Amino acid sequence: MTFNFAMQAIDQIINSAAKTHYMSGGIQPCNVTFRGPNGFAAGVAAQHSQDYSAWYGSIPGLKVVSPWSSEDAKGLLKAAIRDPNPVVVLENDEAAQKDDFVLPIGKAKIERPGKDLTIVSLSRCVGLSLNAAAELKEKYGVDAEVINLRSVKPLDVETIVQSLKKTGRIMCVESGFPMFGVSSEILALAMEYGFDYLTAPAVRVTGAEVPTPYAVGLEQMSFPQVDTILSQATKLLRL
């Protein structure tokens, strides 16, 4: 089932699993992996389409990963199972690779290198960001660098800041709510660690501040689309 139904067990995840190692003085690890589909799907309405990346990412003691590709799904799930800490795996609908490999938790991946704009994204929005980057190149000759976060907590701040130093501009794309979301944290980090390198204000593209509608047209308006990303990017780049 989807991570929306983890609300029925949120006390066990946050008050028990996340705090066990700390409250035992480091004696008792809690190597539990919580996994399930997360974020927007298609036509499943308000109780099945929520993005919990920011919710769980704000809890001390939890590690949170959000795979986009089949490579991410396989490598991060194996890493989560082997980790001595409780890990929340927020999946989306991708097939797993057959190869036996593990990805490090806390390390982002540059899916597309670029020099003009940094786009930081996670989960399904990585695919939208890559499509938008391809259109930016085709229509305007802009080379956008797309970073797949993979891990929400711990967050790969170094990769983000190094990219920002190179491009001078940063945009975060996520399906979560705009208030207190993953993008809010990314933009704050850009200000704290990369302010001197910014040549334009940092921007974000997020889901709408509404429960997900069931009607397909309204649903599409509630989450980031390629056109929305392109529109914000062209404003940021002053094209």
Side-chain angles (χ1 to χ4, degrees):
M1 301 300 289
T2 78
F3 235 95
N4 296 266
F5 300 108
M7 296 303 97
Q8 306 302 319
I10 198 167
D11 180 63
Q12 285 73 28
I13 297 172
I14 292 176
N15 271 330
S16 296
K19 296 179 172 64
T20 295
H21 194 215
Y22 174 79
M23 294 179 68
S24 68
I27 297 172
Q28 178 61 54
C30 186
N31 50 331
V32 179
T33 297
F34 304 98
R35 56 161 292 269
N38 172 72
F40 67 107
V44 290
Q47 293 177 325
H48 300 72
S49 301
Q50 298 165 100
D51 187 338
Y52 292 107
S53 303
W55 274 40
Y56 289 107
S58 67
I59 303 301
L62 288 180
K63 290 185 178 181
V64 183
V65 298
S66 185
W68 165 61
S69 65
S70 55
E71 177 189 40
D72 294 349
K74 180 73 172 183
L76 291 173
L77 180 58
K78 289 177 72 69
I81 292 170
R82 297 177 183 184
D83 199 288
N85 302 285
V87 183
V88 175
V89 182
L90 302 173
E91 302 172 349
N92 75 80
D93 299 327
E94 293 285 350
Q97 300 241 351
K98 295 180 180 179
D99 295 336
D100 184 16
F101 66 94
V102 180
L103 293 173
I105 294 176
K107 183 64 179 175
K109 178 185 179 183
I110 297 176
E111 297 285 351
R112 178 188 177 115
K115 59 181 177 57
D116 301 317
L117 167 66
T118 296
I119 302 178
V120 183
S121 192
L122 69 158
S123 193
R124 286 183 60 184
C125 288
V126 175
L128 298 175
S129 299
L130 287 169
N131 291 338
E135 289 199 36
L136 283 170
K137 179 64 175 178
E138 180 182 350
K139 294 180 178 179
Y140 304 102
V142 170
D143 284 320
E145 182 153 291
V146 178
I147 298 176
N148 172 13
L149 278 181
R150 283 182 168 169
S151 176
V152 176
K153 188 175 185 177
L155 193 63
D156 189 353
V157 179
E158 182 179 358
T159 294
I160 297 169
V161 173
Q162 288 301 317
S163 179
L164 174 57
K165 287 181 179 180
K166 177 173 59 175
T167 66
R169 302 177 180 88
I170 188 168
M171 168 191 292
C172 189
V173 182
E174 65 157 322
S175 63
F177 299 127
M179 295 292 287
F180 314 109
V182 174
S183 57
S184 302
E185 182 67 20
I186 300 296
L187 267 58
L189 290 169
M191 293 295 291
E192 290 173 357
Y193 298 107
F195 180 78
D196 291 339
Y197 306 101
L198 286 169
T199 58
V203 299
R204 59 184 172 179
V205 177
T206 71
E209 189 73 32
V210 295
T212 305
Y214 178 70
V216 63
L218 294 176
E219 180 188 57
Q220 290 175 352
M221 293 172 64
S222 299
F223 293 109
Q225 304 293 331
V226 172
D227 289 346
T228 313
I229 301 171
L230 276 173
S231 174
Q232 289 297 320
T234 54
K235 291 179 182 177
L236 180 60
L237 294 160
R238 298 178 182 177
L239 299 175

